[in-house]
Amino acid sequence: MSPPRAYKTAGVVLRGRNLGEADRIFTLFTTDRGKIDAVAKGVRRAKSHFAGRLEFMSEATLSLHRGRNLDIITAAEISTSCWNAVVQPQAFAAASMIAEFIESFCEPDLALPEVYELVIGAVAALGSIEDPLALIPRFSLRLLDALGLAPPCESCARCGASLLGNGAWLDLESGGLAGSECQSSWRNVLELEAADVANFRALAAPKVGGLRPAVRATSGSRKAIEMLIAHHLGRRPKAGVHAAEFVKP
């Protein structure tokens, strides 16, 4: 049986772009269909019933109608809005990185409930901490884990030897950390001290009481995580370029 033309779902607004004189296309990350693009007709008119309901990173209950090319948003009711927090410069930079990661890593029309909950938890935390960008290293590692791309944190990615209490180096080809005995001698690599490795492991730990990090990422572990994300994306995140100026040493 073909799916019903009209359906409802919860979704987070990742991005919006103008279409024609009054419409707007929104990229949404939904509970039932994952990432989708949908159009809200007339949303840019002054008297639109969508006013304030499709803001960046807001969660809404959406009614949609399947279209030939794009689904059409027929109604939207806000479930959670963190707009007042997200518009703060550091929070906006962090939210932009989260949105870019979801857009880049997640395939269209693929439901990922664990990733959806991760996004909701991260957005909710943005307005409750002094340094919102401190969430990004942990969010990045938890996202890679949910997508099956998690780097090994306790053992060498090459030989399997324990990394506990030891330093390591970042092995992008193996997707994780490698022990000093496996270090490549013919290329420049990012070396991590033992404290960086322990910090990396703490940030990658499974969810315990939300996304709020128990410890701030060290300079070494943050750099390693940024390089891992760029490796999997095939490029440096665009939002990360603007966020760099807010990162506290």
Side-chain angles (χ1 to χ4, degrees):
M1 295 178 61
S2 60
R5 297 292 299 275
Y7 66 98
K8 287 187 176 183
T9 186
V12 178
V13 179
L14 300 179
R15 184 163 63 102
R17 51 203 185 276
N18 293 341
L19 176 67
E21 295 183 358
D23 304 341
R24 195 163 170 79
I25 298 173
F26 290 93
T27 299
L28 310 166
F29 190 62
T30 69
T31 53
D32 300 323
R33 293 184 53 197
K35 185 180 68 175
I36 64 171
D37 282 341
V39 62
K41 294 186 176 296
V43 69
R44 290 156 57 204
R45 294 195 178 100
K47 295 184 178 180
S48 171
H49 64 280
F50 289 117
R53 301 181 186 185
L54 294 169
E55 300 289 358
F56 175 56
M57 278 303 187
S58 293
E59 183 186 22
T61 300
L62 305 161
S63 297
L64 298 100
H65 184 85
R66 295 181 190 273
R68 179 175 299 177
N69 298 314
L70 288 172
D71 289 0
I72 300 169
I73 304 172
T74 57
E77 295 294 334
I78 292 179
S79 301
T80 307
S81 176
C82 300
W83 179 245
N84 290 335
V86 169
V87 293
Q88 301 303 315
Q90 288 195 39
F92 186 83
S96 297
M97 293 186 71
I98 291 170
E100 182 177 353
F101 291 171
I102 298 303
E103 272 206 82
S104 301
F105 278 113
C106 298
E107 296 293 331
D109 292 306
L110 177 63
L112 296 166
E114 185 178 352
V115 175
Y116 187 88
E117 291 302 318
L118 184 65
V119 172
I120 294 301
V123 175
L126 290 179
S128 64
I129 63 174
E130 181 181 353
D131 182 9
L133 284 166
L135 291 173
I136 297 302
R138 176 159 173 76
F139 176 85
S140 300
L141 290 178
R142 296 310 305 151
L143 176 62
L144 291 179
D145 181 66
L147 296 172
L149 300 172
C153 300
E154 297 185 358
S155 59
C156 174
R158 287 180 176 262
C159 70
S162 175
L163 295 176
L164 299 180
N166 298 314
W169 61 283
L170 179 64
D171 182 2
L172 291 174
E173 291 183 359
S174 299
L177 305 180
S180 57
E181 66 278 5
C182 292
Q183 181 172 346
S184 172
S185 59
W186 56 272
R187 71 164 85 188
N188 293 326
V189 295
L190 176 66
E191 296 189 24
L192 303 178
E193 302 291 338
D196 295 322
V197 176
N199 181 260
F200 188 98
R201 188 165 54 251
L203 290 167
K207 179 179 178 180
V208 178
L211 269 172
R212 187 189 300 265
V215 292
R216 181 183 297 276
T218 64
S219 176
S221 64
R222 183 176 67 229
K223 180 63 175 177
I225 293 166
E226 290 173 352
M227 291 177 67
L228 273 171
I229 289 292
H231 173 71
H232 286 297
L233 284 178
R235 57 175 174 79
R236 186 180 179 188
K238 296 177 182 178
V241 176
H242 302 291
E245 62 184 283
F246 297 110
V247 176
K248 297 181 179 180

